[in-house]
Amino acid sequence: MSRDHIQSADSVETPFLELLARGASLDAYEQPVLRARADGMPPERVAALEHAQRLALRVRSEMEGRRRREAELSALFETAHDLAGLQDLDAVLRAIVQRARSLLGTDVAYLSLNDPDEGDTYMRVTEGSVAARFQQLRLGMGEGLGGLVAQTARPYVTDDYFKDDRFQHTRTIDAGVRDEGLVAILGVPLMLGPHVIGVLFAADRRERVFDREQIALLGSFAALAAAAIDTANLLTETRSALADLERANEIIRDRSGVIERASEIHDRLAELVLRGGGVHDVAAAVSQVLGGTVEFAEEGAAPGPALETSRAEGHAVRHGDDWIAAVTGGGELLGALVLRGHPGLDPVDQRTLERAAMVTSLLLLARRSASEAEQRVRGELLDDLLDARDRDPRLLRERATRLDADLDATHVVLAARLDGPAADADAEAAARRRLWSAATHLAVTRHGLASARDGGTVLLLPLDGDDTATELARRTAGHLGAAVHEAVTVGASAPVEDLATHPDTVATAYAEGLRCLEALRLLGRTGDGAAAQDFGFLGLLLAGDRDILGFVERTIGEVIAYDERRGTDLLRTLDAYFACGMSPVRTKDALHVHVNTVAQRLERVGRLLGEDWQRPERVLEVQLALRLRRLSSPAQR
């Protein structure tokens, strides 16, 4: 070959070598040929350039292919590396989908997995997706392009999804694909042995033809994804097996401790019963042994459904994070032992809680028997006082002292009745028993006496300090009502004293309390408490001794005392004032004094009796007191 020919070939290839060196675009390879034609170069020169152009494009294609294969191999290597150090399955699957999308240059890539329990398939990972409905798709098996891939266990590609009728379209799938705007879709199966467990997709929002190399590349990523899933499943199974072994070891280690705890609580409960411990002692002992908080709850304070279940089954039952063990005796529900915040209760510890509930029921029944015996003794003493059977003051005082009561103190007799409607005779009898029990408990705490009588309850309670019969009656009504969860009305007598020497005083005071109770009920004041003195002049009708002088003293005693000290005529002025129809003008004529004098005397009366003395109800009481004073004193007639 001549030197000129070689130089000519070199000059032809030079521009294309430069284009290859800088990685120019395809369009740039047309420029040398176009310029040669434009410059009018000889045909053989143009032909040589075209030949060089073809060679350069072939080299460029080969270089791009190698770069692409290097990138693909690098991505596959990185994915395999991720799989080897698998810690988070989701992270590995996201990396696979991201790399597949990047290398195939698609708008979207996504991976779906089959759900054998639900019998469908669901989106596990998406990359490049923007539509929420598409990301949340759940598809029936055999539906859509993925269904076809799963059925055939082979890759499937469509250039235009909505024009392709070779697979089953559904409204749900089509809506999701339309929301995402997908057109061309490639799907390859995820295989574990002969089974398809899901599909890896690459998709574009425009028509596109996927070549064999791209299909093969996506298949390689699918194989890695399947391997990642299989590895994760094996790791999960291994970890689960290890956890099971660890739990078994813990159970073996703990079993001896549980047995020791059961033995310890058995000994402690036996000791509590022998030394007469209470229910709270039992709860404290079980709390220490079980390492939690155990409380005794009354019937109404424990969760109803769980309590009834425990009662019916005879076992402790779980309620949220707590355990409930019913405390029963003779078929009666007495309450419950509640273990707080201990959801993972060992069966042996559960039995321990149940045994503690049985011990608690024995203690409660024993305490009830003792309490009922004391209640009967207290009731018998009060019954003897009411019926005046025992008139020996020494014996009465001794009996009261044994019950921690003092008959020489000032007392009030209170009559209490239930006012709630009863569903039937049994319900009424049960309500009366509750009232008697609550009244007896109150009497014990207040150093008094109580007894069931006349369909209700009578109490004899000491009056402390500045307390009044009215205040005591109202407190008693509130206390008993709260205890039995029904309205309780209480009528009280006036204070009585020296009961050991004059026991018949109790019967008289009880009759007065009953009359006050009936007055409250007639006035519609059920659930309240009051004494005879609260009814003004009506108290004369309710009081057993008709304390007329006491009523006069309480009503106008201040005016009487003022007249006696000062020698004034306030009482005579009041008599004239009422006789004259409460007219100051006519009153001054009747008394032959100036009207200002009448006004001054009435102002003084107001200061003595209170500013409200001329209210209608007070006026009636003042007039009655004036009349009773005149009638009871011959000097005043």
Side-chain angles (χ1 to χ4, degrees):
M1 181 180 297
S2 66
R3 182 176 298 177
D4 293 340
H5 181 75
I6 293 174
Q7 291 177 350
S8 175
D10 289 342
S11 62
V12 169
E13 294 170 355
T14 298
F16 295 108
L17 291 174
E18 292 176 353
L19 292 174
L20 287 171
R22 71 169 187 262
S25 65
L26 284 174
D27 294 341
Y29 287 84
E30 296 290 338
Q31 297 303 319
V33 177
L34 294 176
R35 282 197 300 271
R37 288 175 180 167
D39 293 342
M41 288 187 178
E44 52 275 12
R45 175 70 174 181
V46 174
L49 284 171
E50 289 176 343
H51 177 70
Q53 178 191 36
R54 288 191 295 271
L55 292 175
L57 289 173
R58 188 182 304 166
V59 172
R60 180 183 183 276
S61 177
E62 183 68 21
M63 292 173 61
E64 285 185 351
R66 289 187 178 185
R67 281 196 297 268
R68 184 173 63 252
R69 283 191 293 275
E70 288 176 2
E72 292 170 356
L73 289 173
S74 177
L76 291 173
F77 175 79
E78 291 175 0
T79 303
H81 181 270
D82 291 344
L83 178 57
L86 177 65
Q87 296 293 329
D88 183 352
L89 176 61
D90 286 337
V92 174
L93 294 180
R94 281 195 299 271
I96 290 172
V97 172
Q98 289 170 357
R99 289 163 184 161
R101 179 195 176 203
S102 175
L103 289 175
L104 270 67
T106 56
D107 296 321
V108 182
Y110 50 100
L111 184 148
S112 68
L113 290 181
N114 297 347
D115 187 342
D117 295 333
E118 297 294 333
D120 61 4
T121 184
Y122 63 96
M123 290 290 187
R124 178 64 182 270
V125 182
T126 65
E127 176 68 21
S129 172
V130 295
R133 178 157 54 176
F134 179 79
Q135 296 167 11
Q136 299 169 6
L137 275 179
R138 293 191 73 95
L139 317 174
M141 300 300 292
E143 297 177 351
L145 184 145
L148 187 59
V149 174
Q151 285 179 347
T152 62
R154 297 175 61 185
Y156 195 86
V157 63
T158 178
D159 300 337
D160 192 333
Y161 174 85
F162 291 101
K163 294 180 180 179
D164 198 332
D165 57 1
R166 291 173 295 173
F167 49 83
Q168 180 183 352
H169 286 266
T170 68
R171 181 178 301 175
T172 301
I173 301 174
D174 287 356
V177 173
R178 187 174 288 107
D179 284 356
E180 195 62 55
L182 301 181
V183 177
I185 303 176
L186 165 62
V188 296
L190 276 65
M191 305 291 296
L192 280 182
H195 304 293
V196 179
I197 63 170
V199 179
L200 178 61
F201 298 88
D204 259 341
R205 296 188 175 93
R206 63 188 184 281
E207 290 188 15
R208 171 175 174 171
V209 177
F210 292 94
D211 57 34
R212 290 182 180 180
E213 292 180 354
Q214 292 172 327
I215 296 173
L217 175 61
L218 193 63
S220 298
F221 279 115
L224 290 174
I229 294 170
D230 190 33
T231 301
N233 290 338
L234 290 174
L235 284 173
T236 300
E237 293 174 2
T238 302
R239 289 167 181 163
S240 178
L242 290 173
D244 290 342
L245 288 174
E246 181 63 26
R247 283 194 294 270
N249 288 331
E250 289 178 359
I251 291 173
I252 293 172
R253 288 194 300 269
D254 292 344
R255 186 54 52 185
S256 60
V258 170
I259 294 173
E260 290 177 4
R261 290 201 303 273
S263 175
E264 179 185 354
I265 192 61
H266 180 272
D267 295 341
R268 296 184 67 173
L269 292 178
E271 181 186 356
L272 282 174
V273 173
L274 292 175
R275 64 180 175 84
V279 294
H280 297 293
D281 296 324
V282 173
V286 180
S287 296
Q288 286 184 332
V289 173
L290 297 185
T293 301
V294 178
E295 300 173 351
F296 174 75
E298 301 289 345
E299 178 183 353
L307 183 58
E308 287 300 325
T309 301
S310 176
R311 178 185 185 183
E313 297 179 355
H315 296 290
V317 298
R318 182 175 171 180
H319 178 72
D321 289 340
D322 303 337
W323 284 84
I324 310 296
V327 177
T328 60
E332 180 184 358
L333 184 61
L334 305 175
L337 285 185
V338 182
L339 174 59
R340 305 286 186 189
H342 208 310
L345 192 63
D346 184 274
V348 177
D349 289 340
Q350 180 180 344
R351 182 60 183 155
T352 297
L353 183 63
E354 294 165 0
R355 186 180 296 111
M358 294 175 58
V359 173
T360 301
S361 69
L362 293 175
L363 294 177
L364 287 175
L365 291 175
R367 188 178 67 181
R368 175 185 289 182
S369 298
S371 176
E372 289 177 351
E374 181 180 352
Q375 290 171 359
R376 284 193 296 272
V377 173
R378 288 181 180 275
E380 289 170 359
L381 175 56
L382 183 54
D383 286 336
D384 287 348
L385 289 171
L386 289 168
D387 298 332
R389 293 186 188 130
D390 190 348
R391 294 185 175 275
D392 186 335
R394 182 182 60 82
L395 291 178
L396 288 173
R397 287 191 179 94
E398 288 179 358
R399 291 173 64 188
T401 300
R402 286 195 293 271
L403 297 172
D404 197 20
D406 181 9
L407 296 183
D408 292 326
T410 301
H411 285 74
V412 173
V413 179
L414 303 108
R417 294 288 187 280
L418 288 165
D419 285 300
D424 50 40
D426 291 340
E428 183 177 0
R432 288 181 178 179
R433 284 195 298 271
R434 290 197 304 272
L435 176 62
W436 173 64
S437 178
T440 303
H441 178 72
L442 178 62
V444 171
T445 58
R446 289 292 309 276
H447 308 291
L449 304 173
S451 177
R453 200 174 185 88
D454 301 327
T457 301
V458 55
L459 299 95
L460 180 66
L461 298 180
L463 198 61
D464 299 329
D466 297 330
D467 210 359
T468 65
T470 299
E471 293 168 348
L472 182 59
R474 288 176 178 169
R475 283 201 309 274
T476 303
H479 179 90
L480 296 180
V484 301
H485 305 293
E486 292 188 38
V488 177
T489 306
V490 176
S493 71
V496 291
E497 300 176 346
D498 201 13
L499 301 183
T501 306
H502 303 287
D504 53 343
T505 306
V506 179
T508 303
Y510 175 54
E512 179 180 329
L514 282 177
R515 286 192 294 272
C516 185
L517 170 65
E518 291 303 322
L520 284 171
R521 299 174 77 174
L522 289 172
L523 293 172
R525 290 174 58 185
T526 56
D528 197 0
Q533 66 188 33
D534 300 318
F535 295 91
F537 75 90
L538 289 176
L540 292 176
L541 304 178
L542 301 175
D545 57 1
R546 301 294 192 270
D547 185 14
I548 294 174
L549 294 180
F551 172 76
V552 172
E553 176 64 25
R554 289 192 299 272
T555 307
I556 59 173
E558 293 289 339
V559 178
I560 295 172
Y562 190 87
D563 274 355
E564 290 175 352
R565 290 195 308 269
R566 303 294 182 89
T568 53
D569 287 327
L570 297 184
L571 288 174
R572 192 164 69 90
T573 301
L574 279 175
D575 276 328
Y577 180 63
F578 289 126
C580 294
M582 301 176 68
S583 169
V585 174
R586 291 200 295 271
T587 301
K588 63 98 175 173
D589 294 334
L591 295 175
H592 306 291
V593 296
H594 195 275
V595 69
N596 289 341
T597 301
V598 174
Q600 291 171 0
R601 292 177 180 178
L602 293 178
E603 183 180 356
R604 172 61 62 182
V605 169
R607 286 198 293 271
L608 294 172
L609 299 184
E611 296 298 329
D612 63 342
W613 74 277
Q614 296 198 65
R615 281 172 32 195
E617 61 269 24
R618 290 289 307 278
V619 166
L620 179 59
E621 292 181 0
V622 171
Q623 287 182 280
L624 180 59
L626 290 170
R627 178 71 58 88
L628 290 173
R629 182 175 181 275
R630 288 197 303 272
L631 294 175
S632 62
S633 176
Q636 298 295 327
R637 292 181 182 177

